[in-house]
Coordinates of all heavy atoms in Angstrom, one line a residue:
M29 N 0.9 -1.3 -0.1 CA -0.1 0.0 0.0 C 0.9 1.3 0.0 O 1.9 1.3 0.8 CB -1.0 0.1 1.2 CG -1.8 1.1 1.3 SD -3.2 1.1 0.1 CE -4.2 -0.1 0.7
A30 N 0.5 2.1 -0.8 CA 1.2 3.5 -1.0 C 1.1 4.2 0.3 O 0.0 4.2 0.9 CB 1.0 4.1 -2.2
R31 N 2.0 5.1 0.6 CA 1.9 6.2 1.6 C 1.5 7.5 0.9 O 2.4 7.9 0.1 CB 3.1 6.2 2.5 CG 3.3 4.9 3.2 CD 4.3 5.1 4.3 NE 5.5 5.7 3.9 CZ 6.2 6.5 4.5 NH1 5.8 7.1 5.7 NH2 7.2 7.2 4.1
E32 N 0.5 8.1 1.2 CA 0.1 9.4 0.7 C 0.1 10.5 1.7 O 0.0 10.3 2.8 CB -1.3 9.4 0.0 CG -1.7 8.3 -0.9 CD -2.0 7.0 -0.3 OE1 -2.4 6.9 0.8 OE2 -1.9 6.1 -1.0
D33 N 0.5 11.7 1.2 CA 0.6 12.8 2.1 C -0.1 14.0 1.3 O 0.4 14.3 0.1 CB 2.0 13.2 2.4 CG 2.0 14.3 3.2 OD1 1.4 14.5 4.3 OD2 3.0 15.2 2.9
L34 N -1.1 14.8 1.8 CA -1.6 15.9 1.3 C -1.3 16.9 2.1 O -1.7 17.0 3.4 CB -3.2 15.8 1.1 CG -3.8 16.9 0.4 CD1 -3.4 17.4 -0.9 CD2 -5.4 16.5 0.4
C35 N -0.7 18.0 1.7 CA -0.2 19.1 2.5 C -0.9 20.3 1.9 O -0.7 20.6 0.6 CB 1.1 19.2 2.6 SG 1.8 20.5 3.6
K36 N -1.4 21.3 2.7 CA -1.8 22.7 2.3 C -0.7 23.6 2.7 O -0.4 23.7 3.8 CB -3.1 23.0 2.9 CG -3.6 24.5 2.5 CD -5.0 24.7 3.1 CE -4.9 25.1 4.5 NZ -6.2 25.7 4.9
L37 N 0.0 24.2 1.6 CA 1.0 25.0 1.9 C 0.6 26.5 2.1 O -0.6 26.7 1.9 CB 2.0 25.0 0.6 CG 2.5 23.6 0.2 CD1 3.3 23.7 -1.2 CD2 3.4 23.1 1.2
A38 N 1.4 27.3 2.3 CA 1.1 28.8 2.6 C 0.4 29.3 1.4 O 0.9 29.0 0.2 CB 2.5 29.5 2.9
G39 N -0.7 30.1 1.5 CA -1.4 30.6 0.4 C -2.4 29.6 -0.1 O -3.2 29.9 -1.1
G40 N -2.4 28.5 0.4 CA -3.5 27.4 0.0 C -3.0 26.4 -0.9 O -4.0 25.6 -1.3
M41 N -1.8 26.6 -1.6 CA -1.4 25.7 -2.6 C -1.4 24.3 -2.0 O -0.9 24.0 -0.9 CB -0.1 26.0 -3.2 CG 0.4 25.1 -4.2 SD 2.0 25.4 -4.9 CE 1.8 27.0 -5.7
L42 N -1.8 23.3 -2.8 CA -1.8 21.8 -2.3 C -0.6 21.1 -2.9 O -0.2 21.3 -4.0 CB -3.1 21.1 -2.7 CG -4.3 21.6 -2.1 CD1 -5.6 20.8 -2.7 CD2 -4.3 21.4 -0.6
R43 N 0.0 20.3 -2.1 CA 1.1 19.4 -2.5 C 0.8 18.0 -2.2 O 0.4 17.6 -1.2 CB 2.3 19.8 -1.7 CG 3.6 19.0 -2.2 CD 4.9 19.1 -1.4 NE 4.6 18.8 0.0 CZ 5.0 19.4 1.1 NH1 5.9 20.4 0.9 NH2 4.9 19.1 2.3
Y44 N 0.8 17.2 -3.3 CA 0.4 15.9 -3.2 C 1.7 15.0 -3.2 O 2.6 15.1 -4.2 CB -0.5 15.4 -4.4 CG -1.7 16.3 -4.6 CD1 -1.6 17.4 -5.4 CD2 -3.0 15.8 -4.0 CE1 -2.8 18.2 -5.7 CE2 -4.1 16.6 -4.3 CZ -4.1 17.6 -5.0 OH -5.1 18.5 -5.4
R45 N 1.9 14.1 -2.3 CA 3.1 13.2 -2.4 C 2.6 11.7 -2.1 O 1.7 11.4 -1.3 CB 4.1 13.6 -1.2 CG 4.7 14.7 -1.5 CD 5.8 14.9 -0.2 NE 6.5 16.2 -0.2 CZ 7.2 16.6 0.7 NH1 7.3 15.8 1.9 NH2 7.9 17.8 0.6
Y46 N 3.2 10.8 -2.9 CA 3.0 9.4 -2.5 C 4.0 8.7 -3.1 O 4.9 9.0 -3.8 CB 1.7 8.9 -3.2 CG 1.5 9.2 -4.8 CD1 1.7 8.1 -5.6 CD2 1.2 10.4 -5.3 CE1 1.7 8.2 -6.9 CE2 1.0 10.5 -6.6 CZ 1.4 9.5 -7.5 OH 1.1 9.6 -8.8
V47 N 4.2 7.4 -2.3 CA 5.4 6.5 -2.5 C 4.7 5.3 -3.3 O 3.8 4.8 -2.8 CB 6.0 6.2 -1.2 CG1 7.0 5.1 -1.4 CG2 6.5 7.4 -0.5
L48 N 5.5 5.0 -4.4 CA 4.9 3.9 -5.1 C 5.4 2.4 -4.8 O 4.8 1.5 -5.1 CB 5.4 4.0 -6.6 CG 4.9 5.4 -7.3 CD1 5.5 5.4 -8.6 CD2 3.4 5.3 -7.4
D49 N 6.4 2.3 -3.9 CA 6.9 1.0 -3.6 C 7.2 0.9 -2.1 O 7.4 1.9 -1.5 CB 8.1 0.6 -4.5 CG 9.1 1.5 -4.6 OD1 9.1 2.6 -3.7 OD2 10.1 1.6 -5.4
E50 N 7.4 -0.3 -1.5 CA 7.5 -0.4 -0.1 C 8.8 0.1 0.3 O 9.0 0.5 1.5 CB 7.4 -1.9 0.2 CG 6.1 -2.4 0.0 CD 5.8 -3.9 0.5 OE1 6.8 -4.3 1.2 OE2 4.8 -4.5 0.1
D51 N 9.9 0.0 -0.5 CA 11.3 0.5 -0.1 C 11.4 2.0 -0.3 O 12.5 2.7 0.1 CB 12.4 -0.3 -0.7 CG 12.5 0.0 -2.3 OD1 11.6 0.8 -2.9 OD2 13.4 -0.5 -2.9
E52 N 10.3 2.7 -0.7 CA 10.2 4.2 -0.7 C 11.2 4.7 -1.8 O 11.7 5.9 -1.7 CB 10.3 4.9 0.6 CG 9.2 4.4 1.5 CD 9.1 5.3 2.8 OE1 9.7 6.3 2.9 OE2 8.3 4.9 3.6
A53 N 11.7 3.9 -2.7 CA 12.7 4.3 -3.7 C 12.0 5.2 -4.8 O 12.8 6.1 -5.4 CB 13.3 3.2 -4.3
T54 N 10.7 4.9 -4.9 CA 10.0 5.8 -6.0 C 8.9 6.7 -5.4 O 7.9 6.0 -5.1 CB 9.5 4.8 -7.1 OG1 10.5 3.9 -7.5 CG2 8.9 5.6 -8.3
A55 N 9.2 7.9 -5.3 CA 8.3 8.9 -4.7 C 7.8 9.8 -5.8 O 8.6 10.2 -6.7 CB 8.7 9.5 -3.6
V56 N 6.6 10.3 -5.7 CA 6.1 11.2 -6.5 C 5.6 12.5 -5.8 O 5.0 12.4 -4.7 CB 4.9 10.7 -7.4 CG1 4.2 11.7 -8.4 CG2 5.2 9.4 -8.2
E57 N 5.8 13.8 -6.2 CA 5.4 15.0 -5.6 C 4.9 15.8 -6.8 O 5.7 16.1 -7.7 CB 6.6 15.5 -4.9 CG 6.1 16.9 -4.2 CD 7.2 17.6 -3.4 OE1 7.5 17.0 -2.4 OE2 7.7 18.7 -3.9
V58 N 3.6 16.2 -6.8 CA 3.0 17.0 -7.8 C 2.1 18.1 -7.0 O 1.8 18.0 -5.9 CB 2.1 16.2 -8.7 CG1 3.1 15.2 -9.6 CG2 1.1 15.4 -8.2
F59 N 1.6 18.9 -7.9 CA 0.8 20.1 -7.3 C -0.6 20.1 -7.8 O -1.3 21.0 -7.7 CB 1.6 21.4 -7.5 CG 2.9 21.5 -6.6 CD1 4.0 21.0 -7.3 CD2 3.0 21.9 -5.4 CE1 5.1 21.0 -6.6 CE2 4.0 21.9 -4.5 CZ 5.2 21.5 -5.2
T60 N -0.9 19.3 -8.9 CA -2.3 19.2 -9.4 C -2.7 17.7 -9.4 O -2.0 16.7 -9.6 CB -2.3 19.7 -10.8 OG1 -1.6 18.9 -11.7 CG2 -1.8 21.1 -10.9
L61 N -4.1 17.5 -9.0 CA -4.6 16.3 -8.9 C -4.5 15.5 -10.3 O -4.6 14.4 -10.4 CB -6.0 16.3 -8.3 CG -6.8 15.1 -8.0 CD1 -6.1 14.3 -6.9 CD2 -8.2 15.5 -7.5
A62 N -4.7 16.4 -11.4 CA -4.7 15.9 -12.7 C -3.4 15.0 -13.1 O -3.4 14.2 -13.9 CB -4.7 17.0 -13.8
E63 N -2.3 15.3 -12.3 CA -1.1 14.6 -12.6 C -0.9 13.4 -11.9 O 0.1 12.6 -12.0 CB 0.2 15.5 -12.3 CG 0.2 16.8 -12.9 CD 1.3 17.6 -12.5 OE1 2.6 17.3 -12.7 OE2 1.1 18.7 -12.0
I64 N -1.9 13.0 -11.0 CA -1.8 11.8 -10.2 C -2.4 10.6 -10.9 O -3.5 10.7 -11.5 CB -2.5 12.0 -8.8 CG1 -1.7 13.3 -8.1 CG2 -2.5 10.8 -8.0 CD1 -2.4 13.8 -6.9
A65 N -1.8 9.5 -10.8 CA -2.2 8.2 -11.3 C -3.2 7.6 -10.4 O -3.3 7.6 -9.2 CB -1.0 7.3 -11.5
L66 N -4.2 6.7 -11.0 CA -5.1 6.0 -10.4 C -4.2 4.8 -9.7 O -3.4 4.5 -10.2 CB -6.1 5.2 -11.3 CG -7.1 6.3 -11.9 CD1 -7.9 5.7 -13.0 CD2 -7.8 7.0 -11.0
P67 N -4.6 4.3 -8.5 CA -5.8 4.6 -7.7 C -5.4 5.7 -6.7 O -6.2 6.1 -5.9 CB -5.9 3.3 -6.9 CG -4.6 2.8 -6.7 CD -3.9 3.1 -8.0
Y68 N -4.3 6.3 -6.7 CA -3.9 7.4 -5.8 C -4.8 8.6 -5.9 O -5.2 9.2 -4.9 CB -2.5 7.8 -6.0 CG -1.4 6.6 -6.0 CD1 -1.0 6.1 -7.3 CD2 -1.1 6.0 -4.9 CE1 -0.1 5.1 -7.4 CE2 -0.3 4.9 -4.9 CZ 0.2 4.4 -6.1 OH 1.0 3.2 -6.1
K69 N -5.3 8.8 -7.1 CA -6.1 10.1 -7.2 C -7.4 9.9 -6.4 O -7.8 11.0 -5.8 CB -6.4 10.2 -8.8 CG -7.3 11.4 -9.1 CD -7.5 11.5 -10.7 CE -6.4 11.9 -11.3 NZ -6.6 12.4 -12.7
Q70 N -8.0 8.8 -6.4 CA -9.2 8.7 -5.6 C -9.0 8.9 -4.1 O -9.8 9.4 -3.4 CB -10.0 7.4 -5.8 CG -11.3 7.3 -5.3 CD -12.2 8.5 -5.5 OE1 -12.5 8.7 -6.8 NE2 -12.8 9.1 -4.7
R71 N -7.9 8.5 -3.7 CA -7.5 8.6 -2.4 C -7.3 10.1 -1.9 O -7.8 10.5 -0.8 CB -6.3 7.8 -1.9 CG -6.3 6.3 -2.1 CD -5.1 5.6 -1.9 NE -5.2 4.2 -2.2 CZ -4.2 3.3 -2.6 NH1 -3.0 3.9 -2.6 NH2 -4.4 2.2 -2.8
F72 N -6.7 10.8 -2.8 CA -6.6 12.2 -2.5 C -7.9 13.0 -2.6 O -8.2 13.8 -1.8 CB -5.5 12.9 -3.4 CG -4.2 12.5 -3.0 CD1 -3.3 11.9 -3.9 CD2 -3.5 13.0 -1.9 CE1 -2.1 11.5 -3.6 CE2 -2.2 12.7 -1.5 CZ -1.4 12.0 -2.4
K73 N -8.8 12.6 -3.5 CA -10.0 13.2 -3.5 C -10.9 12.9 -2.3 O -11.6 13.8 -1.8 CB -10.9 12.5 -4.9 CG -10.4 13.1 -6.1 CD -11.5 12.4 -7.1 CE -11.0 12.9 -8.6 NZ -11.9 12.2 -9.6
D74 N -10.8 11.6 -1.8 CA -11.5 11.4 -0.5 C -10.8 12.2 0.6 O -11.8 12.7 1.4 CB -11.3 9.9 -0.2 CG -11.9 9.0 -1.1 OD1 -12.8 9.5 -2.0 OD2 -11.6 7.8 -1.2
E75 N -9.6 12.5 0.7 CA -9.0 13.2 1.7 C -9.5 14.8 1.6 O -9.8 15.4 2.7 CB -7.5 13.2 1.6 CG -7.0 13.8 2.9 CD -5.4 13.5 3.2 OE1 -4.8 12.7 2.5 OE2 -4.9 14.3 3.9
I76 N -9.5 15.3 0.4 CA -10.0 16.7 0.1 C -11.4 16.7 0.7 O -11.8 17.7 1.4 CB -9.9 17.1 -1.2 CG1 -8.4 17.3 -1.7 CG2 -10.8 18.2 -1.6 CD1 -8.3 17.2 -3.1
A77 N -12.3 15.7 0.4 CA -13.7 15.7 0.8 C -13.8 15.6 2.3 O -14.5 16.4 3.1 CB -14.3 14.6 0.2
D78 N -12.8 14.8 2.9 CA -12.9 14.7 4.4 C -12.5 16.0 5.0 O -13.0 16.2 6.2 CB -11.9 13.6 4.9 CG -12.4 12.2 4.4 OD1 -13.5 12.1 4.2 OD2 -11.5 11.2 4.6
Q79 N -11.6 16.8 4.5 CA -11.3 18.1 5.0 C -12.4 19.1 4.7 O -12.2 20.3 5.2 CB -10.0 18.6 4.4 CG -8.7 17.6 4.7 CD -8.4 17.8 6.1 OE1 -8.5 18.8 6.8 NE2 -7.8 16.7 6.7
N80 N -13.4 18.9 3.9 CA -14.5 19.9 3.5 C -13.8 21.0 2.8 O -14.4 22.1 3.0 CB -15.2 20.2 4.8 CG -16.0 19.3 5.4 OD1 -16.7 18.6 4.6 ND2 -16.2 19.3 6.7
W81 N -12.8 20.8 2.0 CA -12.2 21.8 1.2 C -12.8 22.1 -0.1 O -13.3 21.1 -0.7 CB -10.7 21.5 0.9 CG -9.7 21.6 2.1 CD1 -9.9 22.2 3.4 CD2 -8.5 21.0 2.2 NE1 -8.9 22.1 4.2 CE2 -7.9 21.4 3.5 CE3 -7.7 20.1 1.4 CZ2 -6.8 20.9 3.9 CZ3 -6.5 19.8 1.8 CH2 -6.1 20.1 3.1
I82 N -12.9 23.4 -0.5 CA -13.4 23.7 -1.7 C -12.2 24.1 -2.4 O -11.3 24.9 -2.1 CB -14.5 24.8 -1.9 CG1 -15.7 24.2 -1.1 CG2 -14.6 25.3 -3.2 CD1 -16.8 25.4 -1.1
V83 N -11.9 23.2 -3.7 CA -10.6 23.4 -4.3 C -10.6 24.0 -5.7 O -11.5 23.7 -6.4 CB -9.8 22.0 -4.3 CG1 -8.4 22.2 -5.0 CG2 -9.6 21.6 -2.9
E84 N -9.7 24.9 -6.0 CA -9.8 25.3 -7.4 C -8.6 24.5 -8.0 O -7.4 24.5 -7.7 CB -9.2 26.9 -7.5 CG -9.1 27.4 -8.9 CD -8.5 28.8 -8.9 OE1 -8.4 29.4 -7.9 OE2 -8.2 29.2 -10.1
F85 N -8.9 23.7 -9.0 CA -8.0 22.7 -9.6 C -7.4 23.4 -10.8 O -8.0 24.1 -11.6 CB -8.8 21.4 -9.9 CG -9.2 20.7 -8.8 CD1 -10.6 20.8 -8.4 CD2 -8.4 19.9 -8.1 CE1 -11.0 20.0 -7.4 CE2 -8.9 19.2 -7.0 CZ -10.2 19.3 -6.7
G86 N -6.0 23.3 -10.9 CA -5.4 23.6 -12.2 C -5.2 25.2 -12.3 O -5.2 25.6 -13.5
R87 N -5.1 25.9 -11.3 CA -4.8 27.4 -11.4 C -3.6 27.5 -12.1 O -2.5 27.0 -11.8 CB -4.8 28.0 -10.0 CG -4.6 29.6 -10.2 CD -4.3 30.2 -8.8 NE -5.5 30.1 -7.9 CZ -5.6 30.6 -6.7 NH1 -4.5 31.1 -6.2 NH2 -6.6 30.5 -6.1
K88 N -3.5 28.4 -13.1 CA -2.3 28.7 -13.8 C -1.5 29.7 -13.2 O -2.0 30.6 -12.6 CB -2.6 29.4 -15.3 CG -3.2 28.3 -16.2 CD -3.6 28.9 -17.5 CE -4.2 27.8 -18.4 NZ -4.4 28.2 -19.8
L89 N -0.2 29.4 -13.1 CA 0.8 30.2 -12.4 C 1.8 30.8 -13.4 O 2.2 30.1 -14.4 CB 1.5 29.4 -11.2 CG 0.6 28.8 -10.2 CD1 1.3 27.9 -9.4 CD2 -0.2 29.8 -9.4
E90 N 2.5 32.0 -13.1 CA 3.5 32.5 -13.9 C 4.8 31.8 -13.7 O 5.8 31.6 -14.7 CB 3.7 34.0 -13.6 CG 2.5 34.7 -14.1 CD 2.8 36.3 -13.9 OE1 3.9 36.6 -13.8 OE2 1.8 37.0 -13.9
E91 N 5.1 31.2 -12.5 CA 6.3 30.5 -12.3 C 6.0 29.0 -12.0 O 4.9 28.6 -11.8 CB 7.0 31.1 -11.0 CG 7.4 32.6 -11.3 CD 8.1 33.1 -10.2 OE1 8.3 32.6 -9.1 OE2 8.3 34.4 -10.3
S92 N 7.1 28.3 -11.9 CA 7.1 26.8 -11.5 C 6.2 26.7 -10.2 O 6.5 27.4 -9.3 CB 8.4 26.2 -11.5 OG 8.3 24.8 -11.2
P93 N 5.4 25.8 -10.1 CA 5.0 24.6 -10.9 C 4.1 25.0 -12.2 O 3.6 24.0 -12.7 CB 4.4 23.6 -10.0 CG 3.7 24.4 -8.9 CD 4.5 25.7 -8.9
H94 N 3.9 26.2 -12.5 CA 3.0 26.7 -13.6 C 1.7 26.3 -13.5 O 0.8 27.0 -14.1 CB 3.6 26.2 -14.9 CG 5.0 26.7 -15.1 ND1 5.4 28.0 -15.4 CD2 6.2 26.0 -15.2 CE1 6.6 28.0 -15.4 NE2 7.2 26.9 -15.3
K95 N 1.2 25.2 -12.9 CA -0.2 25.0 -12.5 C -0.2 24.2 -11.1 O 0.6 23.5 -10.9 CB -0.8 24.0 -13.6 CG -1.3 24.6 -14.8 CD -2.2 23.5 -15.5 CE -2.8 24.3 -16.8 NZ -3.6 23.3 -17.5
A96 N -1.3 24.6 -10.2 CA -1.3 24.0 -9.1 C -2.9 24.1 -8.5 O -3.6 24.9 -9.1 CB -0.4 24.7 -8.0
D97 N -3.2 23.2 -7.6 CA -4.5 23.3 -7.0 C -4.4 24.0 -5.8 O -3.3 24.1 -5.0 CB -5.0 21.9 -6.7 CG -5.1 21.0 -7.9 OD1 -5.1 21.5 -9.0 OD2 -5.1 19.7 -7.7
F98 N -5.6 24.8 -5.5 CA -5.5 25.7 -4.4 C -6.7 25.5 -3.6 O -7.8 25.4 -4.1 CB -5.4 27.2 -4.7 CG -4.1 27.7 -5.2 CD1 -3.7 27.5 -6.4 CD2 -3.2 28.2 -4.3 CE1 -2.4 27.8 -6.8 CE2 -2.0 28.6 -4.6 CZ -1.6 28.5 -5.9
V99 N -6.7 25.5 -2.2 CA -7.8 25.5 -1.3 C -8.3 26.9 -1.3 O -7.6 27.7 -1.0 CB -7.5 24.9 0.0 CG1 -8.6 25.1 1.0 CG2 -7.1 23.6 0.0
I100 N -9.6 27.1 -1.7 CA -10.1 28.4 -1.7 C -11.0 28.8 -0.4 O -11.1 30.0 0.0 CB -10.9 28.9 -3.0 CG1 -11.9 27.9 -3.2 CG2 -9.8 29.0 -4.2 CD1 -12.7 28.2 -4.4
C101 N -11.6 27.8 0.1 CA -12.2 27.9 1.5 C -12.7 26.5 1.8 O -12.4 25.6 1.2 CB -13.4 28.8 1.3 SG -14.8 28.4 0.3
T102 N -13.3 26.4 3.0 CA -13.9 25.1 3.4 C -15.5 25.2 3.0 O -16.0 26.3 2.8 CB -13.8 24.9 4.9 OG1 -14.5 26.0 5.6 CG2 -12.3 24.9 5.3
A103 N -16.0 24.0 3.0 CA -17.5 23.9 2.5 C -18.2 24.6 3.8 O -19.4 25.2 3.3 CB -17.9 22.4 2.5
D104 N -17.8 24.6 4.9 CA -18.6 25.3 6.0 C -18.7 26.8 5.8 O -19.6 27.4 5.9 CB -17.9 24.9 7.3 CG -18.1 23.5 7.7 OD1 -18.8 22.7 7.1 OD2 -17.2 23.0 8.6
A105 N -17.4 27.4 5.3 CA -17.4 28.8 5.1 C -18.1 29.3 3.8 O -18.6 30.4 3.7 CB -15.9 29.1 4.9
A106 N -18.4 28.3 3.0 CA -19.1 28.6 1.7 C -20.6 28.7 1.9 O -21.4 29.2 1.0 CB -18.8 27.6 0.7
I107 N -21.2 28.3 3.1 CA -22.6 28.3 3.2 C -23.1 29.6 3.6 O -22.5 30.3 4.4 CB -23.0 27.4 4.3 CG1 -22.6 25.9 3.8 CG2 -24.4 27.3 4.7 CD1 -22.9 24.7 4.9

């Protein structure tokens, strides 16, 4: 089973990390859900839902990483 980590960075940018193998030799770190392979993508979607985050997916940026997902508020705050 892979180890996943979803982190909300300063300014609300999301960082997705996951390890593909047991010896942790192959790790992936991306900033958009669109770049994540299945089945990891669903795990991150579930975690976003558990956090009640409303996310702007794929915001274009002028600098690297050039696209990223951002938490814009929580579902509770949107009511």
Side-chain angles (χ1 to χ4, degrees):
M29 181 69 72
R31 293 189 317 133
E32 299 89 15
D33 177 51
L34 176 59
C35 180
K36 183 172 74 165
L37 304 173
M41 182 186 291
L42 293 177
R43 179 184 62 211
Y44 307 89
R45 286 185 186 168
Y46 57 100
V47 178
L48 295 176
D49 50 14
E50 289 183 24
D51 64 359
E52 299 187 15
T54 307
V56 177
E57 179 177 293
V58 296
F59 296 90
T60 62
L61 192 63
E63 297 177 69
I64 298 173
L66 295 173
Y68 310 103
K69 186 179 283 190
Q70 187 58 50
R71 295 177 188 157
F72 285 117
K73 284 181 179 181
D74 293 344
E75 189 169 346
I76 288 169
D78 290 345
Q79 295 289 334
N80 288 324
W81 288 340
I82 296 175
V83 176
E84 177 186 355
F85 293 100
R87 181 188 295 177
K88 292 183 181 183
L89 306 172
E90 291 185 21
E91 297 179 5
S92 183
H94 301 293
K95 277 191 177 182
D97 298 340
F98 285 83
V99 174
I100 52 175
C101 68
T102 63
D104 298 342
I107 295 176

